[in-house]
Amino acid sequence: MNKILCLSFIIVVNIFFPAHASASVQTDKEETVTIKMTINQQTFDVELKNTPAAKAFMEQLPLTLTMEELNGNEKFADLPRPLPASQITPGTINQGDLMLFGRRTLVLFYETFQTSYGYTPVGRITTPENLGKIAGHKEVIATFTADKKV
């Protein structure tokens, strides 16, 4: 009798409360926003972080920046408007990282290296393999646009 009562209770709970289980699964999943970055007619997908800085960056799109060379591993340019900063010290910068230095300088890293500097994460190029060749050691023009998804 106790087994039947216990089984009945489990069935009733699952019938009346299924939304709680599925809702918790959905809230754990972080939605990502993808934008496009074009340099020298090569387009890259940039997956933005779920941060205030990335959201404020997206509000400035479309955006074309002349990015200057620095240190043989990065390009940088000042944004038209500052972004909210929440710096971290990543230790390792990876090829394809898009970060904010200070509140207004957008930095695109085309080489992986170690650093002690602090940055605010904005996004990451999903497939950065050819980025070093395309970015090279010269000034580049980078165009950032919202990904058109319907």
Side-chain angles (χ1 to χ4, degrees):
M1 181 72 179
N2 282 341
K3 289 181 181 179
I4 294 173
L5 192 59
C6 185
L7 184 59
S8 298
F9 176 74
I10 291 172
I11 292 171
V12 169
V13 167
N14 283 327
I15 290 172
F16 287 106
F17 300 105
H20 293 293
S22 64
S24 66
V25 170
Q26 289 176 355
T27 56
D28 289 343
K29 184 181 178 185
E30 184 179 308
E31 284 195 35
T32 57
V33 174
T34 302
I35 63 169
K36 302 286 185 190
M37 179 189 73
T38 304
I39 297 175
N40 295 339
Q41 300 172 341
Q42 174 74 38
T43 300
F44 297 92
D45 287 334
V46 179
E47 200 171 86
L48 294 180
K49 301 289 184 184
N50 188 13
T51 64
K55 290 173 185 168
F57 176 67
M58 180 113 172
E59 291 173 5
Q60 294 188 26
L61 303 184
L63 185 62
T64 299
L65 299 171
T66 300
M67 301 189 83
E68 297 178 45
E69 169 63 27
L70 185 64
N71 299 325
N73 58 18
E74 64 190 81
K75 302 292 185 199
F76 74 95
D78 284 341
L79 295 168
R81 294 183 306 278
L83 303 179
S86 181
Q87 284 190 348
I88 63 166
T89 305
T92 300
I93 297 286
N94 292 298
Q95 180 186 43
D97 284 347
L98 188 64
M99 305 264 202
L100 182 66
F101 183 75
R103 293 179 38 89
R104 197 170 184 164
T105 304
L106 188 69
V107 184
L108 171 64
F109 295 96
Y110 61 87
E111 297 291 337
T112 299
F113 66 97
Q114 298 294 311
T115 186
S116 60
Y117 287 101
Y119 299 92
T120 299
V122 176
R124 172 153 179 69
I125 295 175
T126 57
T127 52
E129 288 75 28
N130 292 326
L131 185 59
K133 291 177 186 174
I134 291 164
H137 293 283
K138 60 186 182 306
E139 182 178 275
V140 298
I141 297 175
T143 302
F144 297 89
T145 55
D147 194 12
K148 307 242 184 208
K149 288 186 178 180
V150 179

